[in-house]
């Protein structure tokens, strides 16, 4: 065997954005140069959804007492990759968009999470951020034109280079449920815990 494989099957389940509605999500997988897609889609776009009429979005980070209704997508994810080393382990990158008061698409959040290195079912909560204007003038210009700051490359949140100079604000989170299958990784000397 000259490679190991990682399969991720699941769904982008929901999002919690207390102040926003009519949201949709673009997702993509970012991975290192030695990784190759065997099967499945590397990126996708969910349907637009409104906040549900009930339910909760459970995670200890939301135990502050603020209740908001989740925006439910239940959008399927299915991807199988192979590689010869663990460098550039795959990450799921998400960008949430929504409509502003006059119906324009605006960014509501960017986030990224590494695919778990342990086989099994995983529930992941991806906190999302939005970039802030770099100066008071840009802030006023953004307000006047209705165009909020955006990243040129949504994959920017999945890398470390250059992120230290950006100003961001935490805003919302996404719930993802993934079933992970890993095959032949131990033959490459990579040991993962069994949790």
């Amino acid at each position: 065997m000259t490679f190991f494989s990682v399969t991720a099957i699941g769904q982008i389940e929901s999002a919690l954005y207390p102040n926003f509605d009519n949201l949709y999500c673009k997702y993509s997988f970012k991975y290192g140069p030695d990784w190759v897609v065997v099967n499945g889609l590397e990126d996708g776009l969910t349907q637009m959804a409104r906040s549900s009429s009930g339910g909760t979005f459970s995670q200890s980070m939301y135990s502050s007492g603020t209740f908001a209704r989740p925006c439910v997508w239940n959008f399927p994810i299915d991807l199988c990759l192979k590689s010869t080393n663990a460098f550039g382990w795959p990450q799921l990158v998400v960008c949430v968009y929504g409509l502003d008061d006059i119906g324009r698409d605006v960014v509501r959040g960017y986030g990224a999470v590494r695919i778990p290195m342990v086989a099994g079912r995983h529930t992941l909560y991806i906190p999302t951020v939005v970039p802030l204007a770099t100066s008071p003038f840009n802030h006023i210009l953004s307000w006047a034109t209705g165009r909020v700051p955006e990243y040129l490359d949504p994959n920017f949140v999945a890398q470390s280079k250059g992120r230290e100079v950006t100003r961001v604000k935490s805003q919302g989170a996404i719930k993802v449920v993934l079933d992970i299958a890993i095959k032949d990784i131990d033959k490459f000397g990579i040991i993962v815990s069994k949790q």
Side-chain angles (χ1 to χ4, degrees):
M1 189 65 49
T2 59
F3 61 87
F4 65 90
S5 64
V6 176
T7 303
I9 299 172
Q11 63 184 357
I12 299 175
E13 192 172 283
S14 59
L16 180 69
Y17 284 80
N19 300 322
F20 302 109
D21 208 354
N22 294 321
L23 303 173
Y24 64 94
C25 178
K26 288 183 180 180
Y27 76 90
S28 63
F29 287 91
K30 181 174 171 39
Y31 43 83
D34 293 335
W35 291 80
V36 176
V37 174
V38 176
N39 192 13
L41 297 175
E42 293 180 62
D43 53 16
L45 178 68
T46 71
Q47 72 278 6
M48 185 174 283
R50 294 184 55 102
S51 295
S52 64
S53 59
T56 60
F57 194 88
S58 62
Q59 177 69 347
S60 61
M61 60 196 265
Y62 300 104
S63 61
S64 63
T66 305
F67 177 77
R69 298 175 306 169
C71 193
V72 178
W73 295 305
N74 290 329
F75 194 81
I77 297 174
D78 185 358
L79 185 70
C80 181
L81 300 123
K82 67 179 181 178
S83 182
T84 56
N85 68 53
F87 176 75
W89 193 267
Q91 297 182 68
L92 174 62
V93 179
V94 292
C95 306
V96 178
Y97 295 88
L99 300 178
D100 65 5
D101 294 334
I102 57 175
R104 294 177 296 198
D105 283 334
V106 292
V107 172
R108 298 299 186 202
Y110 295 98
V113 66
R114 290 206 185 272
I115 300 301
M117 291 184 78
V118 178
R121 174 162 281 209
H122 302 274
T123 301
L124 309 171
Y125 293 89
I126 308 171
T128 59
V129 297
V130 289
L132 297 174
T134 56
S135 69
F137 175 75
N138 286 346
H139 180 71
I140 292 169
L141 187 63
S142 172
W143 174 81
T145 62
R147 296 197 56 191
V148 297
E150 295 183 31
Y151 292 129
L152 291 175
D153 179 12
N155 289 326
F156 181 73
V157 296
Q159 59 192 14
S160 58
K161 184 178 180 184
R163 284 184 47 194
E164 70 277 1
V165 297
T166 61
R167 294 178 35 194
V168 296
K169 176 178 78 169
S170 179
Q171 180 168 284
I174 297 176
K175 181 179 180 183
V176 177
V177 177
L178 290 177
D179 292 312
I180 303 296
I182 300 175
K183 181 179 176 188
D184 296 329
I185 196 168
D186 55 338
K187 294 179 181 172
F188 287 83
I190 301 170
I191 300 171
V192 294
S193 66
K194 301 294 182 200
Q195 282 190 337

